[in-house]
Amino acid sequence: MIIERNMEHTDLPLVVIPACFPSMAPYLERGLDVIATKARVRMHTDMTLDLDEIMARLENANVAMTTGIHFNNAMLDALAPTLRCLTFGGTGVANFVDVNHAHDLDIMVCNAVHYGDNAVAEHTIALLFEITHKAGRLDVRTRAQGWPGSDITEIGGMTMGIVGFGGIGHRVAELAHGLGMKLIVWARHPDTETLDRLGVERADSIDDVFAKADVVSPHLALNDATRGIITARHLDMLHPGAIFLNTARAELVEQGALERRLNNGDIFAGLDVFDPEPLPDDAPLRDCPNTVLTPHVAWRSDKALAGIVDQNIRSVVAFLDGESYNIV
């Protein structure tokens, strides 16, 4: 379905939403009237990742509001004659757009920040619970088999190691602390007040985290400095029975290193992010032992979706007013 506003006013800029997640559509639709005071608006309510279709829908767009769409440089080049602003429904825009190339084409890129700190943190802990308490898997087995026996593992008393201490890492630490876990954190710019309040051990290096923690969870933005920052050597430091969680970005881990470590069969992993996405049917991770996999949904809570849309609409309105908001 296509929803339009103000299309008869051809003198106004054109804002296009070429695709959206169904759960995001109601929030976007409610915001269209705000944009329509300054521009024409066309919203496609389905979610397609077909790039030819995306390009057709963005023809003559001055502003593109996007989520989950990977723009290669050829696409940006083709859109550049009219496109002046691209908003991305998330924080990791560098995974989806070559920001420097967009800037070279005079395309403003805006993202959303801190909208999903709590949602992603909760999902991180949910993966931990599924690994240790197996509630989802035991539900399936109980329905199919009647009364399967299984031991579980308590989280209280474990050491949670966190790599990176921004909004999400901060919230994970609070939740883990509330569960009775000990904490060790490595961060370039630590929030000392929070670290002191939670009784966190401050790691001198990432090595310390992997060597000491029972559970390791990275919470870093993906950029040139963090890509591959977690290496095979780090993963080899995990003791048997340790748990690796990743709800941040798969590319933080050296390519292939996690699969190799998991194939030893002596650690566990809870993963919500992959490279590439969607996860291919023949991806080695699908066959790795001791894993819980979810399809990059940690950010998709009702509150987070509303926050994304609100920030993206603010970015569009600011751009149309000759100002800026959440520029990358």
Side-chain angles (χ1 to χ4, degrees), residues 164-234:
F165 206 60
I168 297 172
H170 182 140
R171 184 60 180 146
V172 169
E174 290 181 330
L175 294 174
H177 177 75
L179 291 168
M181 300 184 76
K182 303 170 186 176
L183 294 163
I184 180 170
V185 170
W186 177 86
R188 288 193 175 94
H189 306 290
D191 176 352
T192 55
E193 181 180 344
T194 301
L195 293 176
D196 290 342
R197 175 169 58 85
L198 297 178
V200 175
E201 178 183 347
R202 304 179 198 186
D204 293 328
S205 66
I206 296 177
D207 290 18
D208 287 347
V209 176
F210 278 84
K212 295 180 179 181
D214 303 303
V215 182
V216 175
S217 188
H219 296 286
L220 296 166
L222 180 65
N223 52 47
D224 290 341
T226 61
R227 187 179 300 274
I229 195 170
I230 296 170
T231 66
R233 184 177 64 83
H234 292 124

Side-chain angles (χ1 to χ4, degrees), residues 83-107:
L83 190 67
R84 299 274 65 84
C85 178
L86 187 154
T87 72
F88 176 72
T91 301
V93 63
N95 282 41
F96 295 83
V97 180
D98 183 336
V99 176
N100 290 331
H101 190 69
H103 290 168
D104 290 342
L105 297 171
D106 197 27
I107 298 172

Side-chain angles (χ1 to χ4, degrees), residues 28-300:
L28 283 165
E29 187 172 359
R30 287 197 289 270
L32 294 187
D33 289 337
V34 176
I35 300 173
T37 62
K38 304 172 183 292
R40 295 173 288 155
V41 186
R42 178 183 297 123
M43 172 181 168
H44 297 264
T45 61
D46 63 323
M47 186 62 204
T48 178
L49 295 178
D50 182 278
L51 297 184
D52 290 335
E53 180 65 22
I54 293 294
M55 292 298 288
R57 294 179 180 187
L58 286 173
E59 185 177 5
N60 296 322
N62 306 113
V63 178
M65 297 179 65
T66 72
T67 300
I69 299 169
H70 290 265
F71 287 86
N72 58 48
N73 286 351
M75 294 169 68
L76 294 176
D77 292 340
L79 294 168
T82 61
L83 190 67
R84 299 274 65 84
C85 178
L86 187 154
T87 72
F88 176 72
T91 301
V93 63
N95 282 41
F96 295 83
V97 180
D98 183 336
V99 176
N100 290 331
H101 190 69
H103 290 168
D104 290 342
L105 297 171
D106 197 27
I107 298 172
M108 179 187 294
V109 179
C110 307
N111 66 352
V113 297
H114 298 302
Y115 60 89
D117 288 359
N118 187 67
V120 176
E122 286 187 2
H123 196 81
T124 302
I125 300 299
L127 290 171
L128 176 58
F129 266 115
E130 181 58 28
I131 290 169
T132 56
H133 287 255
K134 313 173 189 176
R137 284 169 289 172
L138 287 173
D139 171 69
V140 172
R141 290 173 56 193
T142 300
R143 293 173 189 276
Q145 300 173 20
W147 201 256
S150 178
D151 297 330
I152 62 174
T153 302
E154 292 188 25
I155 292 169
M158 284 186 171
T159 297
M160 166 71 85
I162 299 173
V163 178
F165 206 60
I168 297 172
H170 182 140
R171 184 60 180 146
V172 169
E174 290 181 330
L175 294 174
H177 177 75
L179 291 168
M181 300 184 76
K182 303 170 186 176
L183 294 163
I184 180 170
V185 170
W186 177 86
R188 288 193 175 94
H189 306 290
D191 176 352
T192 55
E193 181 180 344
T194 301
L195 293 176
D196 290 342
R197 175 169 58 85
L198 297 178
V200 175
E201 178 183 347
R202 304 179 198 186
D204 293 328
S205 66
I206 296 177
D207 290 18
D208 287 347
V209 176
F210 278 84
K212 295 180 179 181
D214 303 303
V215 182
V216 175
S217 188
H219 296 286
L220 296 166
L222 180 65
N223 52 47
D224 290 341
T226 61
R227 187 179 300 274
I229 195 170
I230 296 170
T231 66
R233 184 177 64 83
H234 292 124
L235 294 170
D236 285 342
M237 292 179 181
L238 293 171
H239 66 73
I243 299 168
F244 180 76
L245 306 173
N246 195 352
T247 56
R249 284 290 181 266
E251 294 90 341
L252 296 173
V253 182
E254 178 187 336
Q255 193 168 34
L258 182 58
E259 291 89 336
R260 290 192 295 273
R261 183 68 177 88
L262 283 166
N263 279 326
N264 290 343
D266 65 340
I267 68 164
F268 300 83
L271 309 173
D272 186 56
V273 290
F274 307 92
D275 180 28
E277 292 182 355
L279 184 65
D281 291 342
D282 60 351
L285 271 174
R286 292 186 181 272
D287 297 320
C288 282
N290 301 337
T291 55
V292 175
L293 312 179
T294 58
H296 203 155
V297 296
W299 62 278
R300 287 177 62 175

